[in-house]
Each structure stands twice: as C-alpha cells, then as structure tokens.
Amino acid sequence: MHTQVVIIGGGPAGSLLAQLLHAAGIESVIVERRSTEYVLGRIRAGVLEDASARTLTAAGLGERMAAEGDPHDGVALAYGDQRVRIDFAELVGRRVMIWGQTEVQRDLYDALGSWGATLLDSVDDVAIHDVTGDRPRVTFTRDGQAEEITCDWIAGCDGAHGVSQDAFPTDLRRTYERSYPFGWLGVLSETPPVSPELIYASHERGFALCSMRHAMLSRYYVQCDRDDRVEDWSDDRFWSELTRRLPADDAERLQTGPSIEKSITPLRSFVAEPMRHGRLLVAGDAAHIVPPTGAKGLNLAISDVVLLAQAFVDHYARGDDDGLDGYSDRALRRVWKAVRFSWWLTTLMHRFPSRDDFDRKIQLAELDLLATSAPARATFADNYTGLPLDLGEVG
Ligand code: FAS
Ligand code: PHB
C-alpha cells in the first residue's frame, strides 16, 4: 500500500490530522495500536481552549459541541475559605469550552467514518523505516499478517508510549523532564457539579479540582501519593478527602455518589526536541507531556496538528516547505509556554512533601497576588484560555 501521509496513532492528534488533511485533499492512513472501542472509551481531558474549539468547528466537528458543550467564562482558585474568580471574558475576551476528550474523539471518529478514512486499528509491532530517504515506510502486523505502507511523510501521533521517539537518533534528540512527587486520583460521578465553573483548590492536605462533563456528570480530582493505587481509595475516602480540601460553602453543597470511573494519573512535564527528523514529524503527547493542572495536554495536541496540517497543505498545494521546515521550532515555541504555565500552576496549587512552611507562605502570597492584582489575573486568563494561535484556514 502507498499513501501520502501515514499517521501513527488514532487519538485526538492523529484523527484530527487525518480530518484536516482530508479536507485539503491529502491522503492518509492511520495505524492505531488499540481497538476503536478502546480508543472511544478513554476518559481524559475536559477543557478546550478557545482556539481548540474554533479549530474543531472549522473542521466540521463543532455541531454536538455547540449543542451540548458548556462555554465557561471563568474558573475559581480556592485556598482555605478564600476564592478568587478569574474572569476570562472580562480580562482577555476569551472563554473555554467544557467538552470532554471522549466526546471530541467520538466526533472525530464519526467524521472519519463519514468519508471512509483508512483507520487500521488493533495493529501490532509498528515500526518506522527510512525516514531520512524520500520514501519512508511503516511496517506492522494486523490479524497476524505482516503489512507495509510506503509514503511521503510519517506523522508520529502515538502518544507518550509510542514508537515515534525511537526513530530519532540519540545524538539528535534532546529531552527535558520533571516528574512530580504526587499523582491525581480522578473520579466520575453521576451527580450535579458542586459549582457551575471549575474550582482549583490549594489546601494543606493537597490539591483538589472540581470539574464536570455536563449537568449530571461531575469530574473530581484529588492529589494523591505517587505510589497510590486505585484500590487504596474507596469512594468514602475520596469524598471525605475532597470535602476537606474545599472551601466550607462548597463542601456544604457537594453532592456525592458512587464513582462510575476511578483512575490515577501520574504527573510529569516532558518535552522531546526536535519535533521533526527527516520525513517524520511528531505531534501531541508523542512530543510532549504536561501535568493536567493547566488543562493543556489535549489543547497542545490540537495546536500542533493545526500547524502540521497547514505545513502539509503548503507542501502539497504549493510546493512550499517553509511550514515543514519551520514546524518544530514554531510548535515548540507554543509548547514551552504551555509547559511553563502547567508547571507553574502545578507548583502553585499542590502540596510538595519536601517543601516547608516558607514554601507554603510563598504559595499563599502568589494566590493573594492573584486575588488583588488584575494584571496577574489577566496573565493567568491569557495562558489558561490558550495563547492566540494564527489558525488560518487549513486547505
Ligand atoms: P494519545 O495518547 O491520546 O493518543 C495516542 C494514540 O496512539 C493512542 O490511541 C494509542 O493507542 C496510539 N499508539 C500508541 N503507541 C502506538 C503504536 N506503537 N502504534 C500505533 N498506535 C499507537 N489532558 C488534559 O488537558 N486534561 C486532562 O485532564 C488530562 N487527563 C489525562 C489522563 C490520562 C490518564 C492521560 C494518559 C492523559 C491525560 N491528559 C489530559 C492528556 C491527554 O488528554 C493528551 O494530551 C491527549 O490524549 C493527547 O492526544 P494524542 O497526542 O493524540 O495522544
Ligand atoms: C477535567 O475536566 O478532566 C479537567 C479539567 C481541568 C483540568 C484537568 C482536567 O485542568
């Protein structure tokens, strides 16, 4: 088989790239390790930046989001019984969209199915070959059969545990990493959200986050030890801990119920540079990981793909390779700003086991600065709603 672009990974990055390339008349094939059912069952991010929501709408994926998504004009930062509202609309004139990654993935797979995308799922042994030549190849096995696809380009969209990074020579690849000494225990419950907007809570006992998917589906997180296992956390223990970390009036209002999903996510910051090697270009978690505190992971995947899709369109439509040649530097400039914001908010809101009373006073002073300084809140709002990206039209 031959195609123009082989996309490794059918998550948000890979499936959005296939959608944007198709809109521009560029052929692609997605090879995905997991089954389609597994991919559609993942529960991950919940917040779309302004630009991400506009990208999905421009790509024809906005109908359900417009009807069922929930636009938010702000978030609250809580510490003790204090709350600081960051008013996005007033401060930067942008908002965010509450629309779960699970729904984004469903919309993407429905779109791919509508035009007959070639999505090869449940593949094994994916391997990348000849990326420094002009005819790279991807090999894999499917239903026990060895297969090969030759192509012009390979897009590595295979997430944090994929194979794309293995194709970068060790003398070319530079990695940057920060692991955090805690994780997030996340719970989904069929209960009304405690607040109409998200609450990020900083407490001596640890961080907590109140989010939602819709009016009868809440998403909550508490900071837990890095080595905790889901079985260490009964529903009762979770609700008790969440209640203790929220301001009294929110704790009073909290409606608890049985968890319908419970999982622990380790937190780390990771960036691998560059994001291109020959005819292999990587996007999304395949190139960078951020702690979910800043709600950036999914949004960075989308912004990488917008840049990469435009670069492929310029290449095929006009023979202009400036986008491909500049992709890595341009994507990384935005990635590092999101990595910084995610690191900063994680450092501000979490309890670090090794930190002392001085550190806690610094956290409280920073929260008080946000409470008393509109420019400080504006900088928060600018980063949280997504630093502007020239979307342009792909195609
Ligand atoms: P993904 O990991 O989503 O997709 C990569 C795809 O490649 C997967 O389908 C995988 O099966 C496939 N793949 C892997 N190896 C392969 C191989 N060798 N061959 C073929 N296919 C292969 N972000 C937020 O903003 N907020 C959150 O709350 C949040 N929570 C998260 C919780 C968890 C448990 C995880 C893991 C991530 C979370 N994220 C969150 C980040 C997440 O949303 C990612 O940023 C987003 O999924 C990135 O999308 P992709 O780059 O497409 O990577
Ligand atoms: C979520 O709703 O899952 C969510 C929201 C905001 C975050 C992380 C996760 O920062």
Side-chain angles (χ1 to χ4, degrees):
M1 183 193 298
H2 180 82
T3 190
Q4 290 174 303
V5 182
V6 170
I7 300 170
I8 302 178
S15 45
L16 177 61
L17 180 59
Q19 177 72 2
L20 296 180
L21 293 181
H22 172 72
I26 299 169
E27 283 175 18
S28 67
V29 172
I30 298 175
V31 290
E32 164 57 50
R33 178 171 63 180
R34 298 286 191 176
S35 69
T36 293
E37 183 190 11
Y38 184 95
V39 174
L40 291 173
R42 282 193 185 115
I43 294 166
R44 288 190 177 164
V47 176
L48 290 179
E49 291 174 353
D50 193 54
S52 295
R54 286 192 282 117
T55 295
L56 295 176
T57 302
L61 301 158
E63 190 178 336
R64 275 201 325 135
M65 178 174 65
E68 301 167 36
D70 185 8
H72 280 199
D73 287 331
V75 292
L77 304 180
Y79 51 110
D81 282 332
Q82 312 269 341
R83 279 168 71 118
V84 185
R85 183 165 185 269
I86 311 285
D87 186 333
F88 305 144
E90 175 197 276
L91 292 161
V92 294
R94 296 196 294 270
R95 53 188 6 183
V96 295
M97 177 66 81
I98 302 300
W99 186 238
Q101 179 169 329
T102 309
E103 304 309 322
V104 173
Q105 194 70 74
R106 158 63 61 199
D107 290 337
L108 278 163
Y109 272 42
D110 287 349
L112 296 183
S114 69
W115 51 266
T118 307
L119 195 168
L120 307 178
D121 70 340
S122 305
V123 307
D124 290 310
D125 314 316
V126 172
I128 295 170
H129 310 273
D130 306 335
V131 294
T132 53
D134 58 9
R135 200 163 180 80
R137 298 177 295 123
V138 173
T139 58
F140 53 94
T141 54
R142 192 165 184 248
D143 301 330
Q145 293 300 310
E147 300 198 29
E148 175 181 279
I149 308 178
T150 57
C151 53
D152 301 337
W153 302 92
I154 299 172
C157 301
D158 46 348
H161 308 292
V163 293
S164 299
Q165 283 297 331
D166 301 341
F168 284 74
T170 49
D171 60 352
L172 168 70
R173 188 170 176 260
R174 297 178 306 282
T175 59
Y176 306 84
E177 182 156 15
R178 171 68 48 83
S179 285
Y180 299 92
F182 38 73
W184 278 18
L185 171 69
V187 156
L188 264 184
S189 61
E190 290 172 322
T191 54
V194 69
S195 162
E197 293 181 334
L198 274 63
I199 303 172
Y200 288 80
S202 171
H203 190 278
E204 274 71 17
R205 295 180 64 85
F207 169 78
L209 170 60
C210 302
S211 183
M212 70 289 288
R213 292 295 177 268
H214 55 68
M216 273 311 290
L217 189 61
S218 295
R219 180 68 164 164
Y220 294 109
Y221 298 92
V222 294
Q223 172 185 342
C224 63
D225 290 346
R226 182 165 45 189
D227 302 328
D228 274 2
R229 298 161 308 149
V230 171
E231 48 269 32
D232 299 330
W233 285 84
S234 67
D235 283 6
D236 287 348
R237 182 185 175 196
F238 175 83
W239 292 120
S240 159
E241 199 54 50
L242 177 64
T243 304
R244 296 175 76 170
R245 299 182 186 184
L246 295 178
D249 57 345
D250 295 309
E252 183 69 30
R253 242 195 334 270
L254 180 67
Q255 290 192 42
T256 66
S259 61
I260 60 169
E261 192 270 350
K262 195 185 287 181
S263 55
I264 290 181
T265 301
L267 269 62
R268 70 188 178 111
S269 300
F270 175 82
V271 180
E273 295 184 357
M275 292 172 61
R276 176 184 179 185
H277 172 48
R279 288 185 172 247
L280 168 65
L281 300 101
V282 292
D285 279 18
H288 41 72
I289 300 288
V290 287
T293 324
K296 291 295 164 213
L298 173 59
N299 292 293
L300 274 181
I302 291 172
S303 54
D304 286 352
V305 164
V306 169
L307 293 175
L308 185 52
Q310 190 59 60
F312 280 132
V313 170
D314 293 348
H315 167 78
Y316 281 108
R318 290 186 284 282
D320 172 357
D321 282 357
D322 288 352
L324 289 171
D325 295 342
Y327 167 71
S328 181
D329 287 346
R330 197 171 166 211
L332 284 167
R333 251 200 324 274
R334 194 170 199 277
V335 163
W336 273 109
K337 290 191 183 79
V339 167
R340 182 210 66 83
F341 176 71
S342 304
W343 162 84
W344 170 78
L345 190 54
T346 299
T347 304
L348 172 62
M349 299 302 285
H350 288 74
R351 185 183 57 78
F352 285 70
S354 64
R355 298 265 170 97
D356 60 17
D357 293 347
F358 175 84
D359 295 305
R360 182 56 181 162
K361 295 296 272 184
I362 294 294
Q363 287 181 327
L364 294 173
E366 182 114 42
L367 288 160
D368 192 38
L369 175 68
L370 285 160
T372 55
S373 161
R377 290 195 297 279
T379 300
F380 183 106
D382 200 25
N383 281 274
Y384 191 91
T385 58
L387 299 173
L389 171 77
D390 167 22
L391 288 182
E393 281 303 313
V394 176

